[in-house]
Amino acid sequence: MKDIEKQFFDELEKKLWTAADKLRSSLDASRYKHVVLGLIFLKYVSDAFEERQTELNTQFRDPDHDYYMDPADFPDDYEADIAAELEVRDYYTEKNVFWVPFEARWQTLRDLAQLPPGEPLPWNVPGKDTPEKMRTVGWLIDNAMEAVERENGKLKNVLDKEFARTEIESHKLADLIAHFSATNFSQPSYHGQVLSLKSKDILGHVYEYFLGQFALAEGKKGGQYYTPKSIVTLIVEMLQPFKGRVYDPAMGSGGFFVQSEEFIAEHGGKVAKGKTGQISVYGQESNPTTWKLAAMNMAIRGLDFNFGGQPGDTMLNDLHPDLRADYVMANPPFNMKEWWSAKLDSDPRWIAGTPPQGNANFAWLQHMLYHLAPTGSMALLLANGSMSSNTNNEGEIRKKLIEDGYVECMVALPGQLFTNTQIPACIWFLTRDKANGFNLDKKKRDRRRQFLFIDARQLGYMKDRVLRDFTVDDIKKIADTFHAWQHDEGYEDIPGFCYSASLDDIRKHEHVLTPGRYVGAQAQEEDGEAFADKMARLTTQLAQQFAESATLEEEIKKNLAGLGYGL
């Protein structure tokens, strides 16, 4: 991102967050999150619709365009005919733009929100006969959401339609709409310079920023749907999902999909939009409200997605039973206790053994591995205990995963990375093909019986008093090390940071995968002084310090004696 774009986003984030935060006194964070993000989504679909409408209006009047409407063919009322043509749905859906009915368009909503109390609605919409006392700004927003859902099957049951029930005063919602309206998401400028940012890019960035802020505001509860962007970026940069199917069985708000899209775009690829593209996304989430957040997150970016059509418990109701994904990425709940059901006892997903009923860590891992394609790779965040625990069959499961050649790399993370837990975490990287995998049509080397350990606990910086974050250089250092090891391109062990271990090395450590056991201590710089000379110097220095200490002790005794206190 260019510096001027970063400055633009920083200022925009503060401006919009300040406006949205005014609702905090009326609602708790978990509720006003949906109010604000719902309005952001409505703003996006309306802006995208208006951009397409402006484009069409130009094309209808351009003699060199296929859509040209010759005034000679419309002698009665040319402008009325163009206006009618601009309302033809197919022009929008062919470009994967959501069709937005008139009552749901942002300008319409803004105008109606500013109407004085008691003023009749100036147009005919479903619900026009609703009693006046119920026609609040919240009702207008609900009406708009219902209209968008009704006209776009992909959004069925996705949008929040309970604005009227929040009982937020109409003037506060009207003010929030006005604040969002004041921002130019189309061809924005900053300090007189036009920025090359599309409305999708800006609103997507704002949406992600708000998700992070809400996660902080909600603390432990909010962190359940939000994985810090730097961790998501690290995993995506290491896996490099260039093409194929990407799956997240604990998707939260969909952060891994968003970062995958950005990664693909940066490398000149395409993400599936409609029926085309190099990569497509599949996900599952049990929490209904979080499931909606993820669906809106995808819609804001125009991504085609398959989230199973509904929320669902991944372990008890796998909504993608036949999926074999090229990349699987997830941040499931750590050490989840309440997950087991008797029907899971002989589940085919338990490739390496039945996971313990009181901890779902190895259930998530094996579920993901089960859904991997023959050449697929995966990464998941787990608590550090997963690397060494031997209780309730966990040690045997880990041993089988290692011996069967699935485990590829382990990364130990620093503490304080997450908003919702202080439990130390690690990243497991597994693959079904360590012998001859593909990456951008470039074969990796044969990595059978070899494992990479990376200890990243000393990396990162404190972004505030409680949270740590990775820098761009930190992410690059870890990802580059992984890729160099995979392709045998200049990889070297670095004491204290990384080590390429053999299967025999791991057997010596009884199949414990904690990186600290393998990478050793960080090398200390040599000072050039011979050992004998250093010992002589340090011995002399220590003798001098002992002598000084004895002298000081005698002085203290004399002073105390002078005060009448003897030792």
Side-chain angles (χ1 to χ4, degrees):
M1 188 184 297
K2 298 176 182 176
D3 287 341
I4 193 168
E5 292 174 349
K6 187 177 186 305
Q7 294 168 14
F8 166 77
F9 277 126
D10 288 344
E11 189 172 304
L12 178 64
E13 288 165 357
K14 292 176 184 176
K15 174 184 175 183
L16 295 180
W17 180 255
T18 300
D21 205 36
K22 292 179 181 178
L23 293 179
R24 188 191 290 261
S25 60
S26 305
L27 295 170
D28 61 41
S30 64
R31 189 68 198 94
Y32 90 98
K33 167 181 67 187
H34 296 286
V35 170
V36 173
L37 293 176
L39 280 176
I40 289 176
F41 175 80
L42 198 59
K43 181 75 166 69
Y44 166 71
V45 294
S46 184
D47 279 8
F49 180 88
E50 289 179 9
E51 283 184 16
R52 176 61 175 155
Q53 195 169 59
T54 300
E55 180 183 46
L56 287 168
N57 193 29
T58 301
Q59 292 171 352
F60 291 156
R61 302 171 191 275
D62 182 1
D64 295 326
H65 199 276
D66 292 341
Y67 287 163
Y68 175 58
M69 294 175 62
D70 191 336
D73 296 332
F74 303 92
D76 295 332
D77 193 338
Y78 183 60
E79 293 301 324
D81 288 325
I82 283 186
E85 196 72 9
L86 287 171
E87 296 296 320
V88 175
R89 181 195 192 101
D90 289 349
Y91 287 124
Y92 301 87
T93 56
E94 70 180 7
K95 294 291 185 179
N96 294 315
V97 174
F98 288 111
W99 171 256
V100 183
F102 181 76
E103 64 266 31
R105 296 172 194 172
W106 190 261
Q107 189 59 49
T108 303
L109 187 64
R110 182 183 182 185
D111 292 344
L112 293 178
Q114 301 299 327
L115 284 177
E119 186 81 14
L121 295 178
W123 34 267
N124 214 2
V125 296
K128 180 178 173 64
D129 297 329
T130 301
E132 179 186 316
K133 65 179 181 179
M134 293 178 61
R135 283 195 270 117
T136 62
V137 174
W139 176 87
L140 290 171
I141 299 171
D142 288 341
N143 193 59
M145 295 291 191
E146 289 171 2
V148 172
E149 273 199 2
R150 185 176 62 248
E151 297 293 337
N152 301 276
K154 193 74 174 177
L155 297 176
K156 185 178 181 181
N157 299 324
V158 166
L159 306 185
D160 186 32
K161 302 178 290 296
E162 296 187 355
F163 283 76
R165 295 184 187 179
T166 62
E167 298 182 354
I168 302 174
E169 297 98 317
S170 284
H171 72 88
K172 287 189 175 182
L173 284 175
D175 286 347
L176 190 56
I177 291 171
H179 276 293
F180 284 0
S181 301
T183 300
N184 181 13
F185 290 103
S186 180
Q187 294 184 334
S189 62
Y190 185 71
H191 291 183
Q193 183 174 338
V194 177
L195 305 179
S196 57
L197 295 170
K198 298 179 181 179
S199 61
K200 176 180 80 78
D201 301 322
I202 299 171
L203 277 159
H205 183 97
V206 168
Y207 193 92
E208 202 68 19
Y209 168 77
F210 271 47
L211 282 173
Q213 291 298 105
F214 286 127
L216 288 172
E218 291 183 75
K220 183 174 181 179
K221 182 180 178 182
Q224 292 176 358
Y225 67 83
Y226 183 78
T227 305
K229 185 177 180 181
S230 62
I231 304 300
V232 176
T233 302
L234 172 61
I235 289 176
V236 170
E237 290 290 335
M238 291 180 74
L239 281 188
Q240 296 186 320
F242 284 102
K243 58 184 178 181
R245 293 151 299 197
V246 176
Y247 172 51
D248 183 347
M251 66 185 182
S253 56
F256 282 110
F257 304 133
V258 172
Q259 201 60 41
S260 295
E261 180 207 17
E262 293 181 6
F263 177 84
I264 291 293
E266 287 173 3
H267 292 81
K270 297 179 180 178
V271 181
K273 300 176 189 297
K275 300 298 182 182
T276 62
Q278 291 178 296
I279 202 165
S280 53
V281 299
Y282 298 80
Q284 186 160 343
E285 170 61 43
S286 61
N287 185 297
T289 54
T290 307
W291 186 88
K292 291 180 179 181
L293 286 179
M296 286 193 291
N297 208 358
M298 299 303 100
I300 276 180
R301 291 164 173 81
L303 297 181
D304 187 53
F305 60 91
N306 183 342
F307 292 165
Q310 62 186 8
D313 185 306
T314 300
M315 295 302 164
L316 300 179
N317 182 22
D318 187 354
L319 297 176
H320 304 285
D322 300 321
L323 174 66
R324 296 297 179 267
D326 300 285
Y327 304 96
V328 183
M329 299 175 275
N331 174 23
F334 293 172
N335 303 325
M336 191 167 72
K337 293 179 174 59
E338 303 297 328
W339 72 279
W340 180 258
S341 169
K343 71 178 184 179
L344 297 175
D345 198 27
S346 300
D347 198 289
R349 290 174 290 182
W350 312 146
I351 297 171
T354 303
Q357 298 181 12
N359 191 318
N361 285 345
F362 282 97
W364 285 109
L365 189 153
Q366 292 184 87
H367 170 89
M368 294 169 65
L369 188 58
Y370 176 81
H371 281 288
L372 267 187
T375 57
S377 296
M378 59 171 271
L380 81 158
L381 287 147
L382 284 180
N384 274 359
S386 63
M387 298 188 290
S388 58
S389 172
N390 287 314
T391 59
N392 298 321
N393 202 40
E394 288 185 340
E396 290 302 313
I397 294 174
R398 185 173 59 251
K399 177 180 178 180
K400 185 167 178 56
L401 292 170
I402 293 167
E403 294 288 344
D404 288 354
Y406 292 121
V407 179
E408 181 169 29
C409 175
M410 301 297 300
V411 179
L413 297 173
Q416 297 178 268
L417 287 172
F418 301 91
T419 59
N420 62 326
T421 181
Q422 294 301 312
I423 298 174
C426 61
I427 310 175
W428 288 66
F429 287 88
L430 293 88
T431 180
R432 278 188 173 272
D433 186 10
K434 290 176 74 172
N436 204 15
F438 267 85
N439 187 25
L440 256 187
D441 298 328
K442 180 177 182 180
K443 291 183 179 180
K444 303 170 187 174
R445 68 181 179 87
D446 186 343
R447 303 165 325 279
R448 285 173 291 184
R449 299 176 64 88
Q450 296 181 55
F451 308 81
L452 178 64
F453 290 92
I454 297 177
D455 191 341
R457 290 177 297 172
Q458 302 305 314
L459 300 183
Y461 69 100
M462 296 301 295
K463 62 188 297 186
D464 55 38
R465 290 185 299 108
V466 295
L467 282 177
R468 180 177 289 272
D469 204 358
F470 279 136
T471 66
V472 173
D473 289 340
D474 292 332
I475 293 171
K476 179 175 172 55
K477 178 179 180 179
I478 298 170
D480 286 353
T481 298
F482 183 50
H483 298 149
W485 176 82
Q486 283 183 316
H487 295 95
D488 197 18
E489 295 178 347
Y491 170 82
E492 292 182 1
D493 291 337
I494 301 175
F497 176 65
C498 63
Y499 180 77
S500 180
S502 67
L503 180 57
D504 288 338
D505 290 331
I506 293 180
R507 286 171 176 168
K508 289 176 184 177
H509 287 280
E510 300 180 331
H511 298 89
V512 170
L513 295 177
T514 306
R517 291 201 178 195
Y518 299 90
V519 301
Q522 185 175 355
Q524 301 296 318
E525 290 187 11
E526 293 291 338
D527 56 14
E529 187 176 8
F531 177 77
D533 293 340
K534 180 182 289 188
M535 281 300 296
R537 176 176 59 79
L538 291 176
T539 301
T540 301
Q541 184 178 334
L542 184 60
Q544 292 173 345
Q545 290 171 344
F546 280 153
E548 291 174 5
S549 175
T551 302
L552 287 172
E553 183 179 352
E554 289 300 318
E555 289 294 326
I556 292 172
K557 287 180 179 179
K558 289 179 182 178
N559 291 335
L560 288 173
L563 295 172
Y565 298 96
L567 288 177

